[in-house]
Amino acid sequence: MIFDLNKTYVKVLKKQNILILGATIRSGVSIANILYDINMNFKANIKYALSDSKTEEQLKDSIEALKDKDAKLFFGNQEISILNDITLIIISPGIPHTIPIVEEAKKRKIKIIGEIEFAYNLLPNRNYIAVTGTDGKTTTVTLIHEIINSYKKSRLVGNVGNTFSKEVETIEPDEDIILELSSFQLETVEKFHAHIAAVLNVAQDHLDRYKDIEDYFNAKKNININQNKNDFLILNYDNIYTNLWYNELNGVSKTKLLTFSLKSKFATIYYNEEDEYIYYENEKLFSIKNRKILGRHNIENILAAVLICLKDDIPPEHISDIVNNFKGIEHRVEFVAEVNGVKYINDSKATSMNSVMSALKSFYKNIILIMGGRNKNIDFSSLTSLIEVRVKKLILIGEAAEALDEMIRFDNKIIIKDFTDAFNYASAISINGDTVLLSPGCTSFDMFKSYEERGKYFKSLVYKLENSTAI
């Protein structure tokens, strides 16, 4: 284990009585593990506790992982008395700041930070690359990581793979740290400083947490708050929200502003549809004609990734080979199989209107679209015109089925709430040349633990169908 943590911040932590809000294995337990290791290695004697509204039964894996960590555990009903003597709260990103215990902590002026801020303070002054946006984050950071990691050391953490706190103790001094950051994680940024930051796009999302899209975007803007004249902020020239922000910042920002575009030659880096080349500063860079990943949205992701890697001093000739051979990520417009001439596409990661729109634009027509789950107060009505052009049959599933039925004015649709029944119906009505597309636009939590579980189940149904037809 490499233990190269910021000793100044360790001294700060020694004086704190810490409450970790959220006790999942992924986030809360990772933070507790670091505090335990600091106590063991620095004789720090930091006091810490974990609290979660879930019950002990729901968190039995976390309890098992924490049994030797000297942490107090408060599970189930979160009494306000838990806050007595607490001086610092480290909050998991999924916890809204409007719950009673957090509101009370604010009244008591207890400092609240997030997991990203906590881990950053333990490992400052490194080369940080941070990416946020409504859609495309995971694809983009995965591509960035593949490019950089084949040239020099890098670590991919954050909203994808392992949390930053889980990896922080083993990151070597010469590694680039690549972070996928959600709006939730960016809400609590104070000192976090990215040398290269990118906002891929902004569209309606998480409106069950934010009062409006401006409030949501303001959280994402925190990615830039500590950048200086030596840093880069990369924005999507084609997206209405990021373009407006670019115009606001242009000429007054202390950060170097860069843009990417599918449409405009005024952008720093752009794609020419005619020759299928990427152009950087109006100079031909390399062709992506033979790329493996589908969809125009993925060209945007490529442009952002290439620009980031160029600013991280990766040679263009090294980038091109990785880009053209990149096959994308699981659950994002992922080709699963072709059965009897019907293509099955797993886009389970699509939990916003923008991501569904991108998936639909990846296929010309004859789409059987499976959509639904738990909605995040997103209005999908503007999706109707695209569905009318490209979708053959719309199948609505899960909790949001009736609400989606009201929003999307499309005649050829049906509500089949059960996921398996919906898949079986889609496969039964499909014919040679059709595409069965799972692109839910909603979260999975009404039926599954995660979008990964939902996507894997969809794939298992496809493989079962494929095997049955092969007999």
Side-chain angles (χ1 to χ4, degrees), residues 78-190:
Q78 290 178 313
E79 299 288 347
I80 299 302
S81 59
I82 295 170
L83 295 175
N84 294 346
D85 302 321
I86 295 298
T87 59
L88 175 66
I89 290 175
I90 306 173
I91 189 168
S92 295
I95 297 175
H97 290 217
T98 52
I99 64 171
I101 195 167
V102 178
E103 293 282 12
E104 180 62 25
K106 290 176 183 176
K107 287 178 186 175
R108 298 187 188 190
K109 295 184 167 43
I110 298 171
K111 188 176 180 64
I112 301 171
I113 64 171
E115 180 261 337
I116 295 296
E117 185 73 13
F118 168 71
Y120 172 80
N121 283 324
L122 287 168
L123 214 64
N125 305 317
R126 299 295 184 89
N127 187 33
Y128 283 94
I129 296 168
V131 176
T132 192
T134 303
D135 299 301
K137 296 185 295 295
T138 303
T139 299
T140 303
V141 295
T142 304
L143 177 55
I144 292 165
H145 182 239
E146 286 198 15
I147 293 168
I148 295 175
N149 211 41
S150 64
Y151 187 76
K152 59 179 177 176
K153 291 179 181 177
S154 68
R155 191 74 63 105
L156 176 58
V157 291
N159 204 40
V160 60
N162 286 331
T163 57
F164 187 11
S165 56
K166 186 169 184 178
E167 299 275 309
V168 72
E169 295 177 58
T170 62
I171 296 174
E172 298 179 40
D174 59 344
E175 286 188 74
D176 284 0
I177 302 171
I178 306 161
L179 283 159
E180 177 189 322
L181 297 177
S182 69
S183 58
F184 298 173
Q185 290 166 313
L186 287 164
E187 286 174 1
T188 47
V189 162
E190 290 182 5

Side-chain angles (χ1 to χ4, degrees), residues 5-22:
L5 302 185
N6 179 10
K7 293 179 177 60
T8 301
Y9 191 60
V10 170
K11 288 179 182 177
V12 171
L13 293 174
K14 283 182 180 181
K15 299 175 183 177
Q16 306 299 327
N17 190 2
I18 299 170
L19 178 65
I20 302 166
L21 270 183

